[in-house]
Amino acid sequence: MISTKCWNLTDDVLKNKQDIEEAADLIKSGALVAFPTETVYGLGADATNEKAVEKIFIAKGRPQDNPLIAHVATVEQLRKLVSHLPAYAEKLIQAFTPGPITFVLQSNGTCASNVSAGLATVAIRIPDHPVAQQLLLDCDVPIAAPSANISGKPSPTTADHVADDLLGKIAGIIDGGPTGVGMESTVIDCTNDLGPTILRPGGISKEQIEKVVGKVSVDPALTHSHEQPISPGLKYKHYSPEVPLVLVKGTHEEIQTVIDQERSKSFRVAVLAGTKTAEKLQAEKVIPLGKNLDEIATHLYSGLRMFSKQDIDLIICEIFPETGIGQAVMNRLNKAANESIIKG
Ligand code: TXA
Ligand code: MG
């Protein structure tokens, strides 16, 4: 166990510049600090320091072959990490950074090799969050940061989620309040001169990307579960709540029928649903996730982390439309439920 320093920056980020400097000094000294981004909390280490990066894999229990995202503050810093940037990638960078999108590019070897898990490529993101931006400016090195959760669990969208998983294992946690987007970034492979391929749906939708560069490819593994994903991390169990999760497709009456069937087996059931549906459902706990897909994305991981085996036996979650950020929401839910789906 190590002592974890917590800084509360929820009132005014810029008033607390000294705290961010202190966190940056810890990262520069080779320690791990969790910090907020606009998507989820990240667990940061100096991406040029192999020993510091190694600590991330240990703290999270992350498989060694799952590469990390290097975060930088500016496009100039991104250029310093890569050997080649196709013209279409420049366009995407122009359109969407800073923001919830990660570019997989040819590495020039500046980041430590374990950031890329030995691949010749490196994933780079410019986060759009004042704390993340200030931390990156103060560190003046790229920060390697996966989501700040124990591997396999839902990503953290609050500092409390981070503390639940990593208190005593890392040097610090910066609390910047709940994150906004709530889903991780879109990971897009830009190593092919012909055009990009989406490896993981996320905060920027396929439709938004296609408006900038025309038709984009999607890793076939995202739609066919028997295919091996291109992105190494996507083959692992992910986003799993403590309590079993089942997804239900159907009207609110059909969802209620499934709830009633499970409750008749003496299961204590919690339900996650869009606000409109949630208002019409009855179970031990009903959590409205939001009025639209953006709000649902923001609140999904909190919902998945809300229940423990002591009080709930089963979580039932509504199936949402796969438009816009709904693609990311359903990608995460399908993994969290291990494809356990009931058609109402
Ligand atoms: O929004 C986000 O992306 C958050 C915040 C903290 O920035 N980070 C995040 O990191 O979600 P992580 O480690 O949980 O997910 C990174 C994903 C993994 O699926 C990994 O396999 C993939 O990106 N990835 C990283 N480097 C890659 C590479 N060189 N080639 C292909 N996939 C890569
Ligand atoms: Mg993750």
Side-chain angles (χ1 to χ4, degrees), residues 245-250 258 317-319 322 330 333-335 337-344:
L245 170 72
V246 169
L247 310 181
V248 182
K249 196 179 181 70
V258 176
C317 182
E318 181 182 6
I319 289 187
E322 293 195 37
M330 286 314 301
L333 277 173
N334 280 318
K335 282 177 184 274
N338 203 7
E339 314 283 335
S340 170
I341 296 167
I342 299 174
K343 303 229 181 324

PDB file of all heavy atoms in Angstrom, residues 245-250 258 317-319 322 330 333-335 337-344:
ATOM      1  N   LEU A 245     -25.285  -8.777 -15.701  1.00  0.00           N
ATOM      2  CA  LEU A 245     -26.043  -7.794 -16.484  1.00  0.00           C
ATOM      3  C   LEU A 245     -26.699  -8.483 -17.668  1.00  0.00           C
ATOM      4  O   LEU A 245     -26.066  -9.278 -18.354  1.00  0.00           O
ATOM      5  CB  LEU A 245     -25.068  -6.713 -16.981  1.00  0.00           C
ATOM      6  CG  LEU A 245     -25.587  -5.706 -18.008  1.00  0.00           C
ATOM      7  CD1 LEU A 245     -26.564  -4.731 -17.355  1.00  0.00           C
ATOM      8  CD2 LEU A 245     -24.424  -4.927 -18.622  1.00  0.00           C
ATOM      9  N   VAL A 246     -27.974  -8.168 -17.887  1.00  0.00           N
ATOM     10  CA  VAL A 246     -28.690  -8.679 -19.054  1.00  0.00           C
ATOM     11  C   VAL A 246     -29.275  -7.497 -19.810  1.00  0.00           C
ATOM     12  O   VAL A 246     -29.780  -6.542 -19.205  1.00  0.00           O
ATOM     13  CB  VAL A 246     -29.827  -9.643 -18.610  1.00  0.00           C
ATOM     14  CG1 VAL A 246     -30.740  -9.967 -19.774  1.00  0.00           C
ATOM     15  CG2 VAL A 246     -29.265 -10.919 -18.033  1.00  0.00           C
ATOM     16  N   LEU A 247     -29.164  -7.522 -21.136  1.00  0.00           N
ATOM     17  CA  LEU A 247     -29.733  -6.441 -21.955  1.00  0.00           C
ATOM     18  C   LEU A 247     -31.075  -6.895 -22.501  1.00  0.00           C
ATOM     19  O   LEU A 247     -31.218  -8.043 -22.926  1.00  0.00           O
ATOM     20  CB  LEU A 247     -28.798  -6.124 -23.118  1.00  0.00           C
ATOM     21  CG  LEU A 247     -27.331  -5.888 -22.753  1.00  0.00           C
ATOM     22  CD1 LEU A 247     -26.528  -5.553 -24.016  1.00  0.00           C
ATOM     23  CD2 LEU A 247     -27.197  -4.779 -21.722  1.00  0.00           C
ATOM     24  N   VAL A 248     -32.044  -5.990 -22.498  1.00  0.00           N
ATOM     25  CA  VAL A 248     -33.373  -6.363 -22.986  1.00  0.00           C
ATOM     26  C   VAL A 248     -33.814  -5.402 -24.080  1.00  0.00           C
ATOM     27  O   VAL A 248     -33.758  -4.173 -23.914  1.00  0.00           O
ATOM     28  CB  VAL A 248     -34.419  -6.370 -21.845  1.00  0.00           C
ATOM     29  CG1 VAL A 248     -35.775  -6.811 -22.384  1.00  0.00           C
ATOM     30  CG2 VAL A 248     -33.985  -7.305 -20.731  1.00  0.00           C
ATOM     31  N   LYS A 249     -34.240  -6.000 -25.205  1.00  0.00           N
ATOM     32  CA  LYS A 249     -34.741  -5.209 -26.319  1.00  0.00           C
ATOM     33  C   LYS A 249     -36.260  -5.274 -26.295  1.00  0.00           C
ATOM     34  O   LYS A 249     -36.823  -6.360 -26.142  1.00  0.00           O
ATOM     35  CB  LYS A 249     -34.222  -5.829 -27.619  1.00  0.00           C
ATOM     36  CG  LYS A 249     -34.327  -4.938 -28.825  1.00  0.00           C
ATOM     37  CD  LYS A 249     -33.760  -5.663 -30.046  1.00  0.00           C
ATOM     38  CE  LYS A 249     -33.819  -4.799 -31.270  1.00  0.00           C
ATOM     39  NZ  LYS A 249     -32.888  -3.692 -31.232  1.00  0.00           N
ATOM     40  N   GLY A 250     -36.913  -4.126 -26.414  1.00  0.00           N
ATOM     41  CA  GLY A 250     -38.368  -4.177 -26.473  1.00  0.00           C
ATOM     42  C   GLY A 250     -39.025  -2.931 -25.901  1.00  0.00           C
ATOM     43  O   GLY A 250     -38.353  -1.989 -25.485  1.00  0.00           O
ATOM     44  N   VAL A 258     -39.946  -9.084 -18.515  1.00  0.00           N
ATOM     45  CA  VAL A 258     -38.674  -9.751 -18.183  1.00  0.00           C
ATOM     46  C   VAL A 258     -38.322  -9.488 -16.713  1.00  0.00           C
ATOM     47  O   VAL A 258     -37.929 -10.405 -15.981  1.00  0.00           O
ATOM     48  CB  VAL A 258     -37.536  -9.264 -19.117  1.00  0.00           C
ATOM     49  CG1 VAL A 258     -36.208  -9.891 -18.699  1.00  0.00           C
ATOM     50  CG2 VAL A 258     -37.850  -9.591 -20.563  1.00  0.00           C
ATOM     51  N   CYS A 317     -30.711  -3.943 -18.352  1.00  0.00           N
ATOM     52  CA  CYS A 317     -30.539  -2.642 -19.011  1.00  0.00           C
ATOM     53  C   CYS A 317     -31.240  -2.642 -20.357  1.00  0.00           C
ATOM     54  O   CYS A 317     -31.172  -3.620 -21.102  1.00  0.00           O
ATOM     55  CB  CYS A 317     -29.044  -2.339 -19.179  1.00  0.00           C
ATOM     56  SG  CYS A 317     -28.735  -0.736 -19.931  1.00  0.00           S
ATOM     57  N   GLU A 318     -31.899  -1.541 -20.618  1.00  0.00           N
ATOM     58  CA  GLU A 318     -32.573  -1.346 -21.908  1.00  0.00           C
ATOM     59  C   GLU A 318     -31.534  -1.329 -23.049  1.00  0.00           C
ATOM     60  O   GLU A 318     -30.418  -0.841 -22.853  1.00  0.00           O
ATOM     61  CB  GLU A 318     -33.288   0.015 -21.844  1.00  0.00           C
ATOM     62  CG  GLU A 318     -34.055   0.379 -23.079  1.00  0.00           C
ATOM     63  CD  GLU A 318     -34.712   1.775 -22.971  1.00  0.00           C
ATOM     64  OE1 GLU A 318     -34.472   2.500 -21.988  1.00  0.00           O
ATOM     65  OE2 GLU A 318     -35.460   2.112 -23.892  1.00  0.00           O
ATOM     66  N   ILE A 319     -31.902  -1.822 -24.221  1.00  0.00           N
ATOM     67  CA  ILE A 319     -31.058  -1.716 -25.417  1.00  0.00           C
ATOM     68  C   ILE A 319     -31.379  -0.388 -26.113  1.00  0.00           C
ATOM     69  O   ILE A 319     -32.554  -0.071 -26.328  1.00  0.00           O
ATOM     70  CB  ILE A 319     -31.281  -2.921 -26.349  1.00  0.00           C
ATOM     71  CG1 ILE A 319     -30.673  -4.162 -25.677  1.00  0.00           C
ATOM     72  CG2 ILE A 319     -30.713  -2.682 -27.746  1.00  0.00           C
ATOM     73  CD1 ILE A 319     -30.646  -5.412 -26.521  1.00  0.00           C
ATOM     74  N   GLU A 322     -28.450   2.419 -32.035  1.00  0.00           N
ATOM     75  CA  GLU A 322     -27.014   2.560 -32.338  1.00  0.00           C
ATOM     76  C   GLU A 322     -26.752   3.709 -33.304  1.00  0.00           C
ATOM     77  O   GLU A 322     -26.144   3.525 -34.351  1.00  0.00           O
ATOM     78  CB  GLU A 322     -26.451   1.243 -32.874  1.00  0.00           C
ATOM     79  CG  GLU A 322     -26.449   0.181 -31.803  1.00  0.00           C
ATOM     80  CD  GLU A 322     -25.590  -1.023 -32.124  1.00  0.00           C
ATOM     81  OE1 GLU A 322     -24.520  -0.855 -32.722  1.00  0.00           O
ATOM     82  OE2 GLU A 322     -26.027  -2.128 -31.769  1.00  0.00           O
ATOM     83  N   MET A 330     -23.714   0.977 -26.962  1.00  0.00           N
ATOM     84  CA  MET A 330     -24.074  -0.436 -27.168  1.00  0.00           C
ATOM     85  C   MET A 330     -22.841  -1.331 -27.264  1.00  0.00           C
ATOM     86  O   MET A 330     -22.875  -2.487 -26.842  1.00  0.00           O
ATOM     87  CB  MET A 330     -24.977  -0.594 -28.397  1.00  0.00           C
ATOM     88  CG  MET A 330     -26.408  -0.118 -28.188  1.00  0.00           C
ATOM     89  SD  MET A 330     -27.148  -0.690 -26.620  1.00  0.00           S
ATOM     90  CE  MET A 330     -27.035  -2.468 -26.783  1.00  0.00           C
ATOM     91  N   LEU A 333     -22.028  -1.886 -23.638  1.00  0.00           N
ATOM     92  CA  LEU A 333     -23.040  -2.712 -22.969  1.00  0.00           C
ATOM     93  C   LEU A 333     -22.947  -4.174 -23.415  1.00  0.00           C
ATOM     94  O   LEU A 333     -23.063  -5.087 -22.597  1.00  0.00           O
ATOM     95  CB  LEU A 333     -24.440  -2.159 -23.235  1.00  0.00           C
ATOM     96  CG  LEU A 333     -24.869  -1.022 -22.318  1.00  0.00           C
ATOM     97  CD1 LEU A 333     -26.199  -0.432 -22.778  1.00  0.00           C
ATOM     98  CD2 LEU A 333     -25.001  -1.495 -20.859  1.00  0.00           C
ATOM     99  N   ASN A 334     -22.723  -4.394 -24.724  1.00  0.00           N
ATOM    100  CA  ASN A 334     -22.609  -5.776 -25.206  1.00  0.00           C
ATOM    101  C   ASN A 334     -21.452  -6.493 -24.535  1.00  0.00           C
ATOM    102  O   ASN A 334     -21.552  -7.669 -24.186  1.00  0.00           O
ATOM    103  CB  ASN A 334     -22.443  -5.800 -26.729  1.00  0.00           C
ATOM    104  CG  ASN A 334     -23.781  -5.621 -27.427  1.00  0.00           C
ATOM    105  OD1 ASN A 334     -24.781  -6.198 -27.021  1.00  0.00           O
ATOM    106  ND2 ASN A 334     -23.818  -4.790 -28.457  1.00  0.00           N
ATOM    107  N   LYS A 335     -20.336  -5.784 -24.342  1.00  0.00           N
ATOM    108  CA  LYS A 335     -19.198  -6.414 -23.661  1.00  0.00           C
ATOM    109  C   LYS A 335     -19.500  -6.617 -22.183  1.00  0.00           C
ATOM    110  O   LYS A 335     -19.188  -7.665 -21.620  1.00  0.00           O
ATOM    111  CB  LYS A 335     -17.956  -5.547 -23.817  1.00  0.00           C
ATOM    112  CG  LYS A 335     -17.330  -5.694 -25.184  1.00  0.00           C
ATOM    113  CD  LYS A 335     -16.155  -4.766 -25.325  1.00  0.00           C
ATOM    114  CE  LYS A 335     -15.594  -4.857 -26.714  1.00  0.00           C
ATOM    115  NZ  LYS A 335     -14.617  -5.945 -26.851  1.00  0.00           N
ATOM    116  N   ALA A 337     -22.260  -7.091 -20.767  1.00  0.00           N
ATOM    117  CA  ALA A 337     -23.247  -8.165 -20.570  1.00  0.00           C
ATOM    118  C   ALA A 337     -22.762  -9.488 -21.142  1.00  0.00           C
ATOM    119  O   ALA A 337     -23.488 -10.483 -21.066  1.00  0.00           O
ATOM    120  CB  ALA A 337     -24.561  -7.774 -21.231  1.00  0.00           C
ATOM    121  N   ASN A 338     -21.541  -9.453 -21.733  1.00  0.00           N
ATOM    122  CA  ASN A 338     -21.005 -10.660 -22.368  1.00  0.00           C
ATOM    123  C   ASN A 338     -22.021 -11.228 -23.377  1.00  0.00           C
ATOM    124  O   ASN A 338     -22.262 -12.430 -23.422  1.00  0.00           O
ATOM    125  CB  ASN A 338     -20.650 -11.686 -21.287  1.00  0.00           C
ATOM    126  CG  ASN A 338     -19.623 -12.672 -21.771  1.00  0.00           C
ATOM    127  OD1 ASN A 338     -19.081 -12.509 -22.872  1.00  0.00           O
ATOM    128  ND2 ASN A 338     -19.356 -13.693 -20.979  1.00  0.00           N
ATOM    129  N   GLU A 339     -22.625 -10.310 -24.149  1.00  0.00           N
ATOM    130  CA  GLU A 339     -23.594 -10.645 -25.205  1.00  0.00           C
ATOM    131  C   GLU A 339     -24.856 -11.341 -24.664  1.00  0.00           C
ATOM    132  O   GLU A 339     -25.535 -12.053 -25.398  1.00  0.00           O
ATOM    133  CB  GLU A 339     -22.964 -11.520 -26.310  1.00  0.00           C
ATOM    134  CG  GLU A 339     -21.602 -11.065 -26.826  1.00  0.00           C
ATOM    135  CD  GLU A 339     -21.656  -9.881 -27.788  1.00  0.00           C
ATOM    136  OE1 GLU A 339     -22.705  -9.688 -28.436  1.00  0.00           O
ATOM    137  OE2 GLU A 339     -20.659  -9.142 -27.869  1.00  0.00           O
ATOM    138  N   SER A 340     -25.161 -11.148 -23.369  1.00  0.00           N
ATOM    139  CA  SER A 340     -26.352 -11.772 -22.799  1.00  0.00           C
ATOM    140  C   SER A 340     -27.572 -10.872 -23.067  1.00  0.00           C
ATOM    141  O   SER A 340     -27.785  -9.871 -22.386  1.00  0.00           O
ATOM    142  CB  SER A 340     -26.116 -11.973 -21.302  1.00  0.00           C
ATOM    143  OG  SER A 340     -27.286 -12.351 -20.689  1.00  0.00           O
ATOM    144  N   ILE A 341     -28.351 -11.254 -24.094  1.00  0.00           N
ATOM    145  CA  ILE A 341     -29.415 -10.372 -24.583  1.00  0.00           C
ATOM    146  C   ILE A 341     -30.748 -11.115 -24.609  1.00  0.00           C
ATOM    147  O   ILE A 341     -30.816 -12.275 -25.010  1.00  0.00           O
ATOM    148  CB  ILE A 341     -29.068  -9.881 -26.016  1.00  0.00           C
ATOM    149  CG1 ILE A 341     -27.800  -9.022 -25.950  1.00  0.00           C
ATOM    150  CG2 ILE A 341     -30.218  -9.112 -26.652  1.00  0.00           C
ATOM    151  CD1 ILE A 341     -27.177  -8.736 -27.275  1.00  0.00           C
ATOM    152  N   ILE A 342     -31.789 -10.444 -24.149  1.00  0.00           N
ATOM    153  CA  ILE A 342     -33.139 -11.015 -24.213  1.00  0.00           C
ATOM    154  C   ILE A 342     -33.970 -10.116 -25.125  1.00  0.00           C
ATOM    155  O   ILE A 342     -33.962  -8.901 -24.966  1.00  0.00           O
ATOM    156  CB  ILE A 342     -33.797 -11.053 -22.813  1.00  0.00           C
ATOM    157  CG1 ILE A 342     -32.968 -11.928 -21.866  1.00  0.00           C
ATOM    158  CG2 ILE A 342     -35.231 -11.552 -22.906  1.00  0.00           C
ATOM    159  CD1 ILE A 342     -33.473 -11.910 -20.428  1.00  0.00           C
ATOM    160  N   LYS A 343     -34.635 -10.715 -26.083  1.00  0.00           N
ATOM    161  CA  LYS A 343     -35.542  -9.913 -26.925  1.00  0.00           C
ATOM    162  C   LYS A 343     -36.920  -9.972 -26.278  1.00  0.00           C
ATOM    163  O   LYS A 343     -37.493 -11.047 -26.148  1.00  0.00           O
ATOM    164  CB  LYS A 343     -35.585 -10.462 -28.353  1.00  0.00           C
ATOM    165  CG  LYS A 343     -34.205 -10.525 -28.992  1.00  0.00           C
ATOM    166  CD  LYS A 343     -34.190  -9.919 -30.368  1.00  0.00           C
ATOM    167  CE  LYS A 343     -32.853  -9.979 -31.067  1.00  0.00           C
ATOM    168  NZ  LYS A 343     -31.633  -9.834 -30.332  1.00  0.00           N
ATOM    169  N   GLY A 344     -37.419  -8.807 -25.843  1.00  0.00           N
ATOM    170  CA  GLY A 344     -38.688  -8.750 -25.130  1.00  0.00           C
ATOM    171  C   GLY A 344     -39.865  -9.080 -26.003  1.00  0.00           C
ATOM    172  O   GLY A 344     -39.735  -9.270 -27.206  1.00  0.00           O
TER     173      GLY A 344
END
